[in-house]
Amino acid sequence: MGTGQPKLLVHLERQGPCSQRELAEYFEIDPAAVSRMLCALEKSGFVTRKAHPESRRKDLVELTEQGHTMAKIWRGNYQKMEEIMLKGFSDQERAQFADYLIRAYHNFREREEEPLCKI
């Protein structure tokens, strides 16, 4: 599994079939990058594409049975990593930490598109 692919599987497991554009928008990444990830996932047997019922120009991506199994495995791995990372944190501290991360993310997203580094 390549970088980002497990997140796509887990998202498809939770949300059901999605278009490539929806996946790119949700993860805020280039549609071409999503396309490459989906091609690899399709070749590995984790996803399939079918015609979108509302548009011939779109495909819907959905998990195969093998994809559901892999998504479940990755979700379990994420939960284990989260428990290791947050060991010793109270429920209140975990909620506070999540709030800090969300606020930092929004701050970064809302800033002007000025480059962080000038060369």
Side-chain angles (χ1 to χ4, degrees):
M1 302 274 305
T3 303
Q5 291 176 344
K7 288 192 288 187
L8 288 177
L9 294 180
V10 171
H11 181 74
L12 288 167
E13 181 188 40
R14 288 185 179 146
Q15 298 301 316
C18 295
S19 71
Q20 179 178 320
R21 177 179 293 272
E22 290 169 327
L23 291 168
E25 288 173 2
Y26 179 80
F27 288 107
E28 299 176 347
I29 57 177
D30 181 53
V34 172
S35 180
R36 287 188 298 273
M37 286 190 268
L38 291 175
C39 284
L41 289 170
E42 193 171 24
K43 284 179 185 176
S44 298
F46 297 124
V47 300
T48 60
R49 298 179 204 223
K50 65 179 184 180
H52 195 289
E54 297 170 11
S55 172
R56 291 184 202 177
R57 295 172 46 182
K58 288 187 198 176
D59 285 339
L60 281 179
V61 180
E62 63 183 336
L63 292 179
T64 62
E65 187 174 323
Q66 186 178 350
H68 280 284
T69 300
M70 186 59 73
K72 184 182 279 189
I73 291 167
W74 275 98
R75 240 182 327 99
N77 290 340
Y78 290 155
Q79 290 168 345
K80 287 176 190 174
M81 287 187 295
E82 186 177 294
E83 285 305 313
I84 291 167
M85 181 177 72
L86 298 176
K87 183 179 178 184
F89 283 55
S90 69
D91 288 344
Q92 181 183 359
E93 289 169 326
R94 288 175 183 230
Q96 218 172 5
F97 182 63
D99 180 59
Y100 293 154
L101 291 174
I102 290 167
R103 287 169 41 199
Y105 170 78
H106 286 291
N107 287 343
F108 190 74
R109 293 281 303 147
E110 292 170 359
R111 74 179 224 356
E112 292 185 30
E113 291 300 320
E114 181 181 325
L116 294 175
C117 299
K118 293 184 182 181
I119 299 175

